[in-house]
Amino acid sequence: MQAVVDEAATLRTAAERFGAGDLDYRVPVRGKDEFSVVAASFNQMAANLKRQREELIEAERVEEDLAVARGIQQRFLPQRAPELRDLDVAGISIPSREVGGDLYDWFPHADGKLGFTLGDVSGKSVPAALLMSNVLASLRAHSEMRVELAETLGRVNRFIVDQIEPGRFVTLFYAEADPSRETLRYASAGHNPPLVVRADGRVEWLREGGVPLGVTPEVTYSATTIEFAPGDTLIVYSDGITEAQASREER
């Protein structure tokens, strides 16, 4: 009789400890009798609850991390496209749940030229968003100083190569449209090739470019100038477009 009372007290103590949140507490298991089976069940329940609680805490931490990353990303992306007399421009970023480092921006100049960029930082969440903000800030500064496109990419690359984490990199397309001369000058650092849809329907891919930013400091970039006449359309995109297309094809 005393053994039954002791076992009941042991289970009651375990239930109280579990109820108080002490999921590390375990009921001593001795032998293979009925009490031992119940005790083992209590212990397994505690282990499962502890794992679920840890998963919930981690999920909440990740969601907070994503919220911070979204905030960083949205603060640095342009809120509206510039209104220009000779160019119609539009841009949009639709973030996935896993916020990454997609970036784009416009750099209008007093002489009527329009600089613009679109890039993609490898990785997800806060580190990618912070790196994106650094790249955009550097590009804006160089654009205001009217530094040549290829030289800008070289400087931005050297700026981030020492601060970027191993395995991370940035692909970037950087260009300047000149409506008065009907030209488009561009430089690319490993970005998906944009396409130009000509007024007559012809499509041209802009494939010239160098390696992504942040891989190595010893990189020289070059810029290319093409005709960009009234009625022509330039389409620049990130790998979210190609990945979405691949996902549909895999279904």
Side-chain angles (χ1 to χ4, degrees):
M1 185 67 178
Q2 182 62 40
V4 174
V5 173
D6 290 344
E7 291 171 357
T10 299
L11 293 178
R12 183 168 58 251
T13 298
E16 291 172 352
R17 296 285 292 270
F18 295 162
D22 184 4
L23 300 181
D24 290 317
Y25 181 80
R26 295 292 182 268
V27 180
V29 178
R30 304 182 184 90
K32 297 181 180 180
D33 57 9
E34 183 178 350
F35 171 76
S36 297
V37 173
V38 174
S41 298
F42 260 77
N43 292 341
Q44 185 60 51
M45 178 184 66
N48 291 340
L49 289 173
K50 181 180 179 181
R51 185 182 67 255
Q52 292 171 6
R53 183 173 66 179
E54 291 172 346
E55 290 173 352
L56 179 60
I57 292 172
E58 176 62 16
E60 292 174 347
R61 187 199 66 76
V62 170
E63 190 56 42
E64 291 175 359
D65 193 39
L66 291 172
V68 172
R70 290 190 190 99
I72 295 171
Q73 188 176 48
Q74 293 306 311
R75 281 196 298 274
F76 277 87
L77 293 178
Q79 300 304 305
R80 63 182 65 85
E83 296 181 2
L84 305 169
R85 186 183 66 182
D86 299 315
L87 289 172
D88 292 326
V89 298
I92 188 172
S93 174
I94 304 176
S96 65
R97 186 180 183 280
E98 289 187 329
V99 178
D102 286 1
L103 62 93
Y104 76 94
D105 205 356
W106 319 99
F107 312 116
H109 299 299
D111 58 6
K113 296 180 182 179
L114 175 67
F116 56 94
T117 190
L118 190 148
D120 185 14
V121 179
S122 66
K124 304 294 182 183
S125 201
V126 172
L130 288 173
L131 181 56
M132 177 211 74
S133 67
N134 287 339
V135 171
L136 272 181
S138 182
L139 284 172
R140 288 169 181 168
H142 285 86
S143 177
E144 290 176 2
M145 294 185 293
R146 304 303 295 269
V147 179
E148 204 276 330
L149 303 182
E151 176 63 20
T152 293
L153 290 190
R155 292 185 183 184
V156 174
N157 178 64
R158 291 189 293 274
F159 169 68
I160 69 169
V161 75
D162 291 331
Q163 61 177 287
I164 199 168
E165 296 178 10
R168 289 189 183 274
F169 57 88
V170 181
T171 67
L172 191 76
F173 180 81
Y174 184 38
E176 185 175 81
D178 186 348
S180 64
R181 295 187 177 184
E182 298 184 358
T183 60
L184 176 75
R185 187 166 176 78
Y186 73 91
S188 178
H191 198 70
N192 300 77
L195 61 148
V196 175
V197 181
R198 298 297 183 183
D200 60 7
R202 290 179 296 116
V203 175
E204 300 176 11
W205 293 90
L206 306 185
R207 301 187 184 277
E208 299 293 329
V211 301
L213 305 175
V215 175
T216 175
E218 305 302 325
V219 180
T220 300
Y221 295 94
S222 61
T224 302
T225 301
I226 63 170
E227 177 186 350
F228 195 62
D232 292 343
T233 301
L234 172 68
I235 301 174
V236 190
Y237 56 94
S238 73
D239 60 5
I241 296 294
T242 54
E243 289 173 357
Q245 178 64 31
S247 178
R248 284 195 296 270
E249 291 175 350
E250 289 168 0
R251 288 209 218 19

